Amino acid sequence: MTKVVIIDAAECIRARVIGPTGAEHRRLANRVMEEALNRANLHFEEIAYVVATGYGRINVPFADRQITELTCHARGVYQLFPTVSIAIDIGGQDAKGLKIKKGKLVDFVMNDRCAAGTGRFLEVLANTLGLKLDDLGGISLQATSKIKISSICTVFAQQEVMAYLAKGTPLPDIVAGLHDAIASRVVKMITRLKIEPDVVFTGGVAKNIGVVQALKQNLGLEVFVPAEPLLTGAVGAALLGKELVLKARERGEVIAAKERRLEEVTFFR
Amino acid sequence: MVVNRKGIERIKEIYQDRASRAQELKAGGKQVMGYLCIYPVLEMLTALDIVPFRILGQMSEPITKADACLPTIVCPFIRSTLDLGLKGKYDFMDGVVMAHVCDVGEKTSHIWRTYLNPPYYYFLDVPHTTHLAAQEQMKEQIKTLRQTLEDFTGKKITAAKLKQAIDLHNQQRALVRELYDLRKPDPPLISGAETLQTMVALMSIPVAEGNDLLKQVISEVKQRKNKLSKKPRLLIWGSIIDNVALVEMIESAGANVVMDDICVGSRAFFPAVAQTDDPLDGLAYRYLVELKCPRTFREATYGETKKDYIQDLESRFGYIKEYIRDWNVNGVILQAVRYCDIHGYEVPAVRDYLDHIGTPHIYLEHDYSEAALAPLRTRVQAFLELLG
């Protein structure tokens, strides 16, 4: 997904847009930006600074600067939860644990090499179960017990799930087991960061109430989820952009920004 | 037309085609011997005028032959070396000195012997601890190495020749330190990638030639006009790095790699051989005790420090603190080739030590493949962002 957040000097969000990404990052970044400008009722020239983040950050042609999603998430989460110590972000393709002290990222762990423990794991297995991704959370709440998934690999987990289906295990118990598998993997991964409250959970998977519950159980701690868990990275990028501009102004400098043009660019030419 | 390149240009030439010089010397009648890791005692080869040639892998080349005789879930670096051997890339060598470095190295040595049947083969059975009995065993092993080399070549390693070889290698070690001193200023005078290329080149040519080349490189680097820019200063610790791809990725993300603790770098060159009445004592001590690869088990004040973890860490990794201080290091990248268990065991301890001395660090695991480096870039960039 491609997200755009526009903030003003008072840190008020003027527009937020979430659009699909697809293979043509560059062109889509354009469209989502246009949409955000329309919603904010702004001209592109009025935007002081553009920070791009995430996997596609180098494919945003109109960005003034790229900052990694780890730094941006940390900043965004801190804005929403100033008491945050640990942020867990589970998205479609990776899982991250961030240690945040006084709003600054001080350490992190990341799994970006394998679908296990990410949103993709749930996507694949929802498909196996013939369920919609969005329904998984609700279904898991009806579970009376939960299955144990022992395989780390998504493909092998799929085989385990099929074996449970063959045995006639109720769907809610299987789904609850999958949520527990994700939560326990992520908790294991982030243990090195020395987990302390407050814990904040973001990313697309944070919309799944079943995983939120499983994380609480695995951590033995309260887990806070922002109202829009997909947007924290974009919010953080916008805030860091604002801070860069203000710092430059304090020093009496003009921050180098690109010409404000939105062109259709593609690498498929 | 033969172009006589000098200094860094020559280093890059050798780095691009590692075997070229050794093959040239071989064609001129010299013997060339391969060696695995940093434990084989190179002074013995140099004393017999044999060219020591370090067996390295090739990150950019897919492993296609080695999987037939090695499990796939072991160190991809070692798999790559055997793969190159099986593909005939090391056919110019007159023999190999292998060593019990790590388990995969040990097994692969034997597989190498079985499949490639080199004219000369020696397996240096390096002990895994450093106490006195182990040092004695190391010395005995070196004695046998000397004997078998003499038998193979029909030449004697006289005391004078051995002394000369030790001096030559010590001179190289001192020159490498001198080169590393040029990484101390901010910005450093030489990049991490160029330093690594220099280390690879030194491991591909006779030591005397390496010394001349090092002198050229040092004076060239000192007079450089186009300086590097100031960036966060990093130390890289861990498994072997024999290809510039990883270091280039780190430096292009916005850092200067100013120091290393790896075996194609300071780990291989910093310790010198001390003058001892019996030169084998100095050699055994240097190669067993002073080489700091985690393949050797160490603990502080043997047997006494179980209750004091920090003291134990201090005695094992205190030298890293000195590197951090002397090279003004802002952060450490711990990296290991996937399945490198010896470094894997050491990572938590090194991390605890770096936390103790207050140096930021990250740990990266990689597949010994150029293509697989891209996902690591985000981590390196985020690390540089948190260094500020």
Side-chain angles (χ1 to χ4, degrees), chain B residues 18-39:
Chain B
R18 276 195 70 215
S20 56
R21 181 60 185 147
Q23 283 168 329
E24 210 173 273
L25 290 164
K26 165 87 181 163
K30 281 215 184 203
Q31 286 178 312
V32 179
M33 274 198 200
Y35 64 97
L36 185 70
C37 294
I38 53 176
Y39 284 82

Side-chain angles (χ1 to χ4, degrees), chain B residues 313-379:
Chain B
L313 295 178
E314 197 72 61
S315 90
R316 285 158 68 196
F317 309 119
Y319 68 96
I320 299 177
K321 182 165 72 182
E322 286 168 25
Y323 291 167
I324 289 169
R325 184 194 60 207
D326 296 348
W327 274 266
N328 222 338
V329 168
N330 305 121
V332 175
I333 293 188
L334 306 171
Q335 59 81 34
V337 173
R338 195 173 303 281
Y339 308 120
C340 180
D341 56 344
I342 56 167
H343 281 88
Y345 290 129
E346 207 99 313
V347 166
V350 177
R351 269 179 173 163
D352 287 344
Y353 185 65
L354 292 173
D355 283 341
H356 171 68
I357 63 174
T359 304
H361 51 88
I362 46 161
Y363 172 52
L364 308 176
E365 227 177 61
H366 58 94
D367 290 316
Y368 194 74
S369 152
E370 282 181 12
L373 290 176
L376 299 179
R377 180 180 277 273
T378 295
R379 292 171 206 219

Side-chain angles (χ1 to χ4, degrees), chain A residues 57 68 71 112-113 192, chain B residues 338 351 375 379 381 385:
Chain A
R57 65 186 178 279
T68 64
T71 302
D112 62 1
R113 328 212 75 202
R192 192 180 66 72
Chain B
R338 195 173 303 281
R351 269 179 173 163
R379 292 171 206 219
Q381 279 174 348
E385 286 165 6

Side-chain angles (χ1 to χ4, degrees), chain B residues 231-251:
Chain B
K231 287 173 189 167
R233 300 169 61 83
L234 303 183
L235 180 152
I236 302 191
W237 173 94
S239 298
I240 186 160
I241 301 176
D242 60 0
N243 182 303
V244 289
L246 179 68
V247 178
E248 276 176 349
M249 183 273 279
I250 294 168
E251 295 195 314

Side-chain angles (χ1 to χ4, degrees), chain A residues 6-234:
Chain A
I6 301 176
I7 60 162
D8 59 23
E11 298 184 352
C12 277
I13 294 181
R14 298 285 295 273
R16 47 167 81 80
V17 178
I18 302 177
T21 302
E24 284 199 79
H25 298 334
R26 284 173 179 243
R27 213 174 54 196
L28 267 162
N30 258 12
R31 291 210 186 139
V32 187
M33 188 70 201
E34 264 166 13
E35 167 81 25
L37 289 168
N38 283 340
R39 286 200 201 170
N41 206 8
L42 287 168
H43 291 291
F44 200 16
E45 301 78 52
E46 295 174 84
I47 302 293
Y49 206 65
V50 181
V51 173
T53 188
Y55 280 75
R57 65 186 178 279
I58 51 165
N59 286 323
V60 182
F62 49 85
D64 300 308
R65 179 157 169 174
Q66 288 83 31
I67 300 179
T68 64
E69 55 272 31
L70 294 121
T71 302
C72 291
H73 271 299
R75 182 65 189 87
V77 170
Y78 173 69
Q79 184 77 2
L80 302 169
F81 300 93
T83 51
V84 65
S85 168
I86 292 284
I88 298 169
D89 183 272
I90 310 181
Q93 47 199 337
D94 71 17
K96 303 184 266 283
L98 313 174
K99 180 104 183 178
I100 301 167
K101 265 185 196 158
K102 293 177 191 148
K104 271 213 73 176
L105 179 67
V106 291
D107 201 357
F108 61 88
V109 285
M110 198 172 168
N111 159 33
D112 62 1
R113 328 212 75 202
C114 165
T118 71
R120 192 55 44 89
F121 175 83
L122 286 181
E123 246 180 85
V124 170
L125 287 147
N127 200 23
T128 307
L129 296 170
L131 298 172
K132 278 198 211 131
L133 193 58
D134 292 343
D135 296 339
L136 292 183
I139 291 171
S140 70
L141 295 182
Q142 298 155 23
T144 49
S145 70
K146 60 186 173 209
I147 59 157
K148 273 267 169 239
I149 300 281
S150 51
S151 295
I152 290 181
C153 171
T154 304
V155 177
F156 292 154
Q158 205 175 5
Q159 292 172 357
E160 282 188 48
V161 162
M162 299 211 302
Y164 280 110
L165 282 175
K167 267 197 289 188
T169 309
L171 276 182
D173 294 5
I174 297 179
V175 177
L178 295 175
H179 292 161
D180 189 59
I182 282 215
S184 68
R185 259 165 226 162
V186 170
V187 169
K188 257 181 239 162
M189 180 181 86
I190 64 168
T191 303
R192 192 180 66 72
L193 299 175
K194 299 196 178 76
I195 303 166
E196 304 163 315
D198 289 351
V199 177
V200 175
F201 180 24
T202 63
V205 178
K207 288 182 142 185
N208 179 327
I209 181 69
V211 181
V212 177
Q213 299 296 350
L215 257 185
K216 284 182 190 174
Q217 279 173 16
N218 274 276
L219 289 165
L221 288 172
E222 183 55 49
V223 170
F224 299 93
V225 179
E228 288 182 279
L230 262 79
L231 280 179
T232 43

Side-chain angles (χ1 to χ4, degrees), chain B residues 155-330:
Chain B
K155 291 192 269 184
K156 266 259 168 275
I157 299 178
T158 62
K161 275 187 183 165
L162 186 55
K163 164 119 191 13
Q164 206 183 0
I166 292 173
D167 288 347
L168 264 181
H169 280 274
N170 275 348
Q171 198 190 346
Q172 181 151 95
R173 291 159 189 151
L175 285 166
V176 167
R177 277 181 182 266
E178 212 179 300
L179 182 72
Y180 271 57
D181 281 345
L182 305 179
R183 309 172 82 181
K184 284 177 178 171
D186 193 26
L189 301 183
I190 181 168
S191 71
E194 286 172 320
T195 309
L196 180 62
Q197 287 172 324
T198 309
M199 298 303 113
V200 170
L202 291 178
M203 293 171 168
S204 319
I205 57 175
V207 63
E209 273 183 35
N211 291 354
D212 292 341
L213 194 48
L214 265 173
K215 285 176 199 160
Q216 292 169 11
V217 170
I218 290 166
S219 74
E220 179 185 331
V221 167
K222 278 182 181 167
Q223 290 163 18
R224 267 194 177 164
K225 297 231 161 49
N226 47 343
K227 300 248 188 308
L228 297 167
S229 47
K230 283 194 184 193
K231 287 173 189 167
R233 300 169 61 83
L234 303 183
L235 180 152
I236 302 191
W237 173 94
S239 298
I240 186 160
I241 301 176
D242 60 0
N243 182 303
V244 289
L246 179 68
V247 178
E248 276 176 349
M249 183 273 279
I250 294 168
E251 295 195 314
S252 73
N256 286 319
V257 173
V258 296
M259 190 47 190
D260 65 67
D261 181 17
I262 55 168
C263 66
V264 185
S266 71
R267 213 181 263 175
F269 289 103
F270 273 27
V273 175
Q275 289 269 8
T276 45
D277 292 339
D278 180 350
L280 295 193
D281 286 324
L283 287 168
Y285 192 80
R286 189 263 176 191
Y287 278 91
L288 180 65
V289 183
E290 299 208 317
L291 288 185
K292 296 277 182 347
C293 174
R295 54 81 55 202
T296 304
F297 173 74
R298 288 163 212 282
E299 57 180 337
T301 342
Y302 195 67
E304 280 179 8
T305 54
K306 292 195 171 60
K307 284 183 189 150
D308 191 345
Y309 183 45
I310 290 301
Q311 193 189 324
D312 183 46
L313 295 178
E314 197 72 61
S315 90
R316 285 158 68 196
F317 309 119
Y319 68 96
I320 299 177
K321 182 165 72 182
E322 286 168 25
Y323 291 167
I324 289 169
R325 184 194 60 207
D326 296 348
W327 274 266
N328 222 338
V329 168
N330 305 121

